[in-house]
């Protein structure tokens, strides 16, 4: 059910179907992991895709805009194996 213009999360296959049908205006992808390859996600090229990611992957490779984000281990003030 749509609420404030958003719908609940479904499968990637359903998203690709909705993009092809013209019922999606933009995709906001959080993360890089996807079962689908970049070739399978190519249909997302019909709409702007914004990807917030810390790694390379299929989703960022098809994105219109990629926003790099740091993982928890890359934050300021973090020490590992400090003696």
């Amino acid at each position: 059910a749509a609420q404030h213009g958003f719908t609940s999360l479904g499968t990637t296959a359903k998203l690709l179907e909705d993009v092809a049908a013209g019922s999606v205006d933009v995709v906001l992808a959080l993360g890089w992991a996807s079962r689908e390859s970049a070739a399978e996600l190519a249909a997302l090229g019909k709409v702007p895709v914004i990807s917030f990611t810390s790694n390379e992957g299929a989703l960022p490779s098809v994105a219109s805009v990629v926003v790099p984000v740091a993982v928890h281990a890359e934050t300021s003030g973090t020490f590992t194996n400090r003696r």
Side-chain angles (χ1 to χ4, degrees):
Q3 181 180 20
H4 304 292
F6 296 98
T7 58
S8 62
L9 292 177
T11 65
T12 305
K14 176 68 172 138
L15 172 63
L16 294 170
E17 186 179 298
D18 290 347
V19 167
S23 60
V24 173
D25 297 321
V26 66
V27 173
L28 177 61
L30 305 176
W32 58 273
S34 172
R35 289 184 192 174
E36 295 76 18
S37 68
E40 293 170 309
L41 295 173
L44 292 177
K46 292 184 175 186
V47 297
V49 177
I50 303 166
S51 174
F52 288 84
T53 184
S54 60
N55 296 309
E56 294 180 8
L59 281 170
S61 73
V62 299
S64 312
V65 176
V66 177
V67 180
V69 296
V71 296
H72 71 281
E74 296 174 340
T75 58
S76 177
T78 301
F79 298 97
T80 304
N81 296 329
R82 184 178 171 155
R83 293 181 185 196

